Amino acid sequence: MARVPEPPDDPGPARSESEYEVIGGGVIDDRFPRRDGTAGSEHRLDHQPGIADILGTAVREAWDDCRMSLQSWWFWLACASGLLLAWATAAAVVAFGEANGWFESSLPSATYILMAGLMAVVSAVLGAVWGFHQKARTFLGGLFAGVFRGAVFAVPSGILLLTVGTAVGGPIALAGAGVVVVVLEIVLFGLIGAGARACSGRTAAGVALTAALVAFLCLGNVAATIALIPWTTVMDQASVPVNVERDDTGRITAYECVGRLRPVEVAHTERVAWLAASNPILLFGSVAAETLPKEHELAWVLSGLQWAADGPGRDFPCIGGESSDQLAPSVPVALTGLVIQAVVAALVLLPGRWLSTRRLTSARSGGPQTPGQA
């Protein structure tokens, strides 16, 4: 124990000895008992979780949530119903199209291609429903839960696509593109469903918000784009392209402009095409366009959105007298669609988490007091 100095008027021999100060200056309290009964410090360092701890906790939370789904027959019924609906709808649409002469020749792979696109829509709807009902409350937990469910649903989806593709002789690589889009849509729409659920404490309001977002991203965006396309037609100035280079699909890749500018009517579809990029079917088409042979009858359908996003350059390259080296490179519409879906998920997740925290804090404090309460 530190020695206490004696008073100055004490003539005792202790005056000649060295005086001691309290070590630690009151910062260290060696009287705080440890768990073993010995003295210790009450100022202990809190353990800060590292990245590995955070990821491990999120993975465990996501797996616990996903395991509950795998043990439910409703989950497997939803998977089987979604795949059956995609196949039946694709077969019905192709049969109707052949009966009305939509195809120049019989196209067995049309059912395969359309079914893969419809699987993207089915995945978006299922992902939103699963995200709405998931138990994981953290962002990483919900993200990993979507990845797990997407991987599970991708297995029967891939098997079905490979089976149908092999039977009709379609490009097998398209099945791989379909599986990738299935996983991405389940993850992103799962976050949208979870965010919409968190935005409201009432289930009905959360369901309404989720349904509205899914309906717009799966149908409303295409309807809005079609309605806006006539408004993109304007009079512009164009000149003559020379030294034109094209790719295998006939798309102009390089050119130079000469001659005087002349007025032409052009449709600037690039101004509205980005709106439809978030549609799951069109997003799949943009990803899978390169998997089809160039001579395939439906190749132009899958790449149509990219052509629209590139603007009037496909018909009038020299708009404003600008040659190809003066133009910015085109952005893949698939990437644009994924970014839009991610932005929508963020717009509902961020306020949803904030509102959820406020409701939890209010519940713990007993709710706001009225003026008449003490």
Side-chain angles (χ1 to χ4, degrees):
M1 181 179 292
R3 184 175 177 179
V4 180
E6 296 180 3
D9 56 351
D10 187 355
R15 291 287 299 155
S16 61
E17 298 179 3
S18 300
E19 296 181 356
Y20 298 94
E21 296 181 356
V22 178
I23 299 175
V27 175
I28 300 177
D29 184 3
D30 58 357
R31 295 171 298 175
F32 185 77
R34 293 195 179 105
R35 291 183 178 179
D36 57 2
T38 60
S41 174
E42 62 182 343
H43 298 275
R44 299 177 180 177
L45 296 177
D46 294 332
H47 173 68
Q48 297 296 332
I51 297 179
D53 297 330
I54 296 175
L55 292 178
T57 302
V59 169
R60 288 190 296 270
E61 181 185 19
W63 173 244
D64 291 339
D65 188 15
C66 185
R67 184 174 57 187
M68 295 176 59
S69 297
L70 299 180
Q71 295 172 349
S72 171
W73 65 274
W74 283 105
F75 175 84
W76 297 108
L77 179 62
C79 293
S81 300
L83 295 178
L84 181 61
L85 178 64
W87 174 80
T89 304
V93 171
V94 172
F96 181 79
E98 290 181 346
N100 289 272
W102 290 0
F103 308 117
E104 295 181 0
S105 60
S106 178
L107 198 63
S109 60
T111 301
Y112 170 52
I113 296 170
L114 183 56
M115 182 182 67
L118 291 174
M119 279 185 179
V121 179
V122 170
S123 301
V125 175
L126 290 179
V129 173
W130 292 335
F132 186 87
H133 292 287
Q134 72 182 10
K135 302 301 180 183
R137 297 307 178 192
T138 63
F139 168 74
L140 288 178
L143 179 65
F144 290 146
V147 173
F148 292 158
R149 291 192 181 94
V152 170
F153 186 67
V155 173
S157 299
I159 293 175
L160 180 59
L161 286 175
L162 287 175
T163 302
V164 176
T166 304
V168 301
I172 301 302
L174 186 139
V179 168
V180 171
V181 174
V182 161
V183 176
L184 291 176
E185 295 303 88
I186 288 179
V187 171
L188 291 174
F189 277 82
L191 295 176
I192 291 174
R197 173 68 180 272
C199 283
S200 175
R202 298 181 178 179
T203 303
V207 170
L209 179 58
T210 303
L213 293 174
V214 172
F216 176 78
L217 292 175
C218 293
L219 183 62
N221 49 8
V222 175
T225 302
I226 295 175
L228 291 174
I229 283 180
W231 299 92
T232 64
T233 302
V234 296
M235 295 300 297
D236 218 325
Q237 302 294 318
S239 55
V240 179
V242 297
N243 299 328
V244 177
E245 298 179 8
R246 299 177 182 270
D247 58 14
D248 296 338
T249 63
R251 181 180 174 185
I252 298 177
T253 58
Y255 57 89
E256 296 178 5
C257 298
V258 297
R260 294 183 178 181
L261 297 177
R262 67 185 189 282
V264 293
E265 187 179 59
V266 298
H268 285 277
T269 53
E270 76 280 5
R271 297 175 181 175
V272 296
W274 62 270
L275 186 60
S278 58
N279 183 275
I281 292 183
L282 298 181
L283 191 150
F284 162 76
S286 302
V287 173
E290 299 299 326
T291 66
L292 290 183
K294 305 303 179 183
E295 65 276 6
H296 199 282
E297 288 188 36
L298 295 182
W300 67 271
V301 177
L302 298 188
S303 59
L305 184 60
Q306 184 65 58
W307 281 59
D310 292 340
R314 59 188 180 275
D315 299 319
F316 303 97
C318 289
I319 299 295
E322 294 182 339
S323 58
S324 59
D325 57 355
Q326 296 175 297
L327 301 178
S330 60
V331 179
V333 291
L335 178 60
T336 303
L338 291 174
V339 169
I340 293 175
Q341 291 179 1
V343 169
V344 173
L347 290 178
V348 293
L349 270 175
L350 294 178
R353 291 182 62 83
W354 180 73
L355 291 172
S356 179
T357 303
R358 284 196 60 185
R359 289 195 299 268
L360 182 60
T361 304
S362 177
R364 288 178 177 177
S365 62
Q369 293 184 342
T370 60
Q373 292 177 325

